[in-house]
Amino acid sequence: MSKSILMHENGGPEKMQLEEVEVGKPGPGQVKLRHTAIGLNFIDVYTRSGLYKTPLPNAVGREGAGVIVEVGPKVKGFKKGDRVAYCGELGAYCQERLIGTEQLVKVPKGVSDEQAAAMMLKGMTTEYLVDRTIKPWVKKGDIVLFHAAAGGVGLLFGQWAKARGYKVIGTVSSPEKAALAKKHGYKWVIDYTKQNIVEEVMKITKGKKVPAVVDGVGKDTWEASLDCLQPRGIMASFGNASGPVPPQSIAILNAKGSLYLTRPSLGAYTSTRKDLEASANSLFKMVKSGKVKIAIDQRYPLAEAGQAHADLESRKTTGQTILIP
């Protein structure tokens, strides 16, 4: 038997309960994975609350790392004892699980299980945002705006974008988070609880605005994001931490300067095995080079997943958080 956090109905953190489940034997193309660490991400909150509809009951969670303890039929490229990590398939909040090998990547030496669990979703999200989504719009020396700079993706984005030669403005909600963002690659930090985002961006850019805004906040920063963009700039809206953006008329993009808007997802950017491996390998390379550092800022026992969600939603956490099974 394995312990798992199960959710039988959508709602608050209290809807997640620790239960015992029978894992079973891996089927064709599957392995049985024993988790050593599990990643916590805001998408888990969306799943729990029902913003993102998923079948019930489920074990929430989409990211983890661990060791293969059993291999099913027709598995190629993986064996018992391999250290692996993944992100994508629902059900990570558990001690053991069955999972298809098409999602797994091997964790290289020099990267710990805790780092792998904390960085797969957020790290590959950062990879596609910096190296693929906004790249056609920016060049070395350009200024980019990122919202929620002290969050999980935010701390990675600041480092990654700096390594690529961009100058990054980050928005935060406290002096403590501002200091943290500054240590992770941000050249300028705006405390949106005390400063006007658009006014500060205009000052920093001397009225030129920015060619790209990357926004994981959603509803609360939507208008400011558009108002910070240069004509024909791009807005990459990849998350809804403050809630989903209300329905909009596409005419606003014309009115604000013939802007481009994309709502990207990691699934679309890693939809093939080739893309998944390329993204993961780029992430591992950046971490092993030291250009992007993965620090575990919070650890919670698996049984306290509800508390971890509550702390994440109330913005008490920073950077990377993991659950320990």
Side-chain angles (χ1 to χ4, degrees), residues 276-293:
L276 172 63
E277 290 183 345
S279 184
N281 289 337
S282 180
L283 172 59
F284 291 144
K285 182 179 179 181
M286 289 291 274
V287 172
K288 292 178 71 174
S289 74
K291 293 177 181 178
V292 171
K293 294 179 172 58

Side-chain angles (χ1 to χ4, degrees), residues 16 36-45 61-65 86 92-93 113-123 150-156 177 180 184 293-302 304-325:
M16 299 188 298
T36 51
I38 301 158
L40 177 73
N41 298 280
F42 227 100
I43 194 173
D44 303 347
V45 173
R62 297 175 183 270
E63 174 181 52
Y86 68 92
Y93 286 15
D113 287 7
E114 287 194 351
Q115 286 178 314
M119 74 180 184
M120 293 302 295
L121 195 153
K122 292 181 282 286
V153 175
L155 295 185
L156 301 183
K177 290 185 176 182
L180 186 62
H184 287 79
K293 294 179 172 58
I294 307 293
I296 309 302
D297 299 283
Q298 295 86 204
R299 295 174 176 83
Y300 296 81
L302 177 62
E304 296 179 12
Q307 185 61 54
H309 273 227
D311 290 348
L312 179 64
E313 288 184 278
S314 61
R315 301 186 181 181
K316 292 180 180 178
T317 65
T318 57
Q320 318 307 326
T321 302
I322 59 171
L323 305 177
I324 305 297

Side-chain angles (χ1 to χ4, degrees), residues 11 46 89 95 100 140 268:
Y46 305 154
E89 184 172 322
Q95 293 175 327
K140 286 185 178 181

Side-chain angles (χ1 to χ4, degrees), residues 36 46 84 102 145 147 171 204 213 241 251 258 260 295 297 299:
T36 51
Y46 305 154
V84 296
E102 70 278 359
L145 174 64
H147 291 299
T171 66
I204 291 168
V213 175
S258 296
Y260 290 82
D297 299 283
R299 295 174 176 83

Side-chain angles (χ1 to χ4, degrees), residues 31-52:
V31 300
K32 180 184 285 188
L33 176 65
R34 176 174 55 81
H35 282 132
T36 51
I38 301 158
L40 177 73
N41 298 280
F42 227 100
I43 194 173
D44 303 347
V45 173
Y46 305 154
T47 300
R48 189 208 73 224
S49 69
L51 178 62
Y52 289 0

